[in-house]
Amino acid sequence: NTLQTRVPTAQDISHDPSRNQAATPQPGDPDYLEPAQDKVFADPPPPAHTGGFGEPNCTFCHFGNAYPSGGSVTVETPSTYSPGSTVAIRVTIADTSAGRQRWGFELSARFRNGTQAGSFANGPDVRVQVERGIQYAAHSPSVRQPGNSFTYTVMWTAPADASGGDVLFHAAGNASNNDGSQNGDRIFTTPAAGVVSLAPTATPARVLAGGIV
């Protein structure tokens, strides 16, 4: 017999513990959803699951290993940003373990005070969602590519001015075994030491007489 599970919806983001005590909807119930073919949330994951600013991460729905050795999620950005400019942000999920078939991610960009910084754009395999004033760029759909890594490219437009200061990028990544269940996936987040801090572009240096800056 096939185990029928309910796929969490965006309404689950409230993280009300009581929902875990409710009976699982059965076929024929109004709230019943057919099991997803791939529990990496192919289109797309619920927002506010990057692990940043106290948020949960993919382990809220996936029951595999969290932060296992041999894998990572990394965010590649320029070293600084120019207000209003649009740049490509690269999110790479990597995992040396065997059996990785499908890749998922979620990314946020916030100032140090937790407010939205700049804006993301929808693109190939990427969709942007908004939750409580914060944008979340995520896979849509999740890409199936057997191997040990995959990179998503997200277009980000920097804030209109530099008054907000540094921008922090938080990401969660899922290296999935694509077995049709929530088990056996491997979840990674950007650790505190690995969160990308993107500073505004400094005032252009002046070259004075004698080449002294």
Side-chain angles (χ1 to χ4, degrees), residues 105-198:
F105 85 101
E106 186 168 288
L107 174 71
S108 66
R110 285 170 275 201
F111 294 117
R112 291 189 181 276
N113 64 4
T115 59
Q116 178 64 36
S119 60
F120 294 119
N122 293 325
D125 303 319
V126 174
R127 184 186 297 183
V128 180
Q129 303 177 95
V130 180
E131 174 73 17
R132 299 177 183 175
I134 302 300
Q135 289 188 347
Y136 296 90
H139 63 263
S140 183
S142 57
V143 171
R144 182 175 184 180
Q145 179 175 294
N148 295 114
S149 69
F150 185 81
T151 298
Y152 288 90
T153 299
V154 182
M155 300 309 296
W156 176 74
T157 298
D161 59 63
S163 61
D166 295 348
V167 175
L168 304 181
F169 289 86
H170 291 89
N174 185 353
S176 171
N177 58 9
N178 198 41
D179 69 350
S181 79
Q182 294 138 313
N183 300 309
D185 299 331
R186 288 163 59 87
I187 308 303
F188 309 96
T189 61
T190 46
V195 173
V196 176
S197 174
L198 187 57

Side-chain angles (χ1 to χ4, degrees), residues 9-20 46-49 54-57 60-61 132:
T9 67
Q11 296 176 344
D12 294 327
I13 296 171
S14 63
H15 308 314
D16 182 357
S18 64
R19 79 177 185 87
N20 295 321
H49 284 70
E55 294 173 350
N57 56 54
F60 183 72
C61 301
R132 299 177 183 175

Side-chain angles (χ1 to χ4, degrees), residues 31-121:
D31 293 335
Y32 178 77
L33 296 176
E34 290 293 335
Q37 182 178 13
D38 174 36
K39 295 300 190 301
V40 182
F41 283 96
D43 191 30
H49 284 70
T50 66
F53 288 90
E55 294 173 350
N57 56 54
C58 307
T59 57
F60 183 72
C61 301
H62 295 266
F63 308 135
N65 295 324
Y67 325 118
S69 60
S72 65
V73 57
T74 57
V75 180
E76 299 176 54
T77 74
S79 58
T80 60
Y81 70 85
S82 297
S85 63
T86 299
V87 296
I89 308 297
R90 290 165 57 87
V91 181
T92 299
I93 311 101
D95 191 353
T96 58
S97 68
R100 300 305 99 189
Q101 300 286 324
R102 195 180 287 268
W103 310 89
F105 85 101
E106 186 168 288
L107 174 71
S108 66
R110 285 170 275 201
F111 294 117
R112 291 189 181 276
N113 64 4
T115 59
Q116 178 64 36
S119 60
F120 294 119

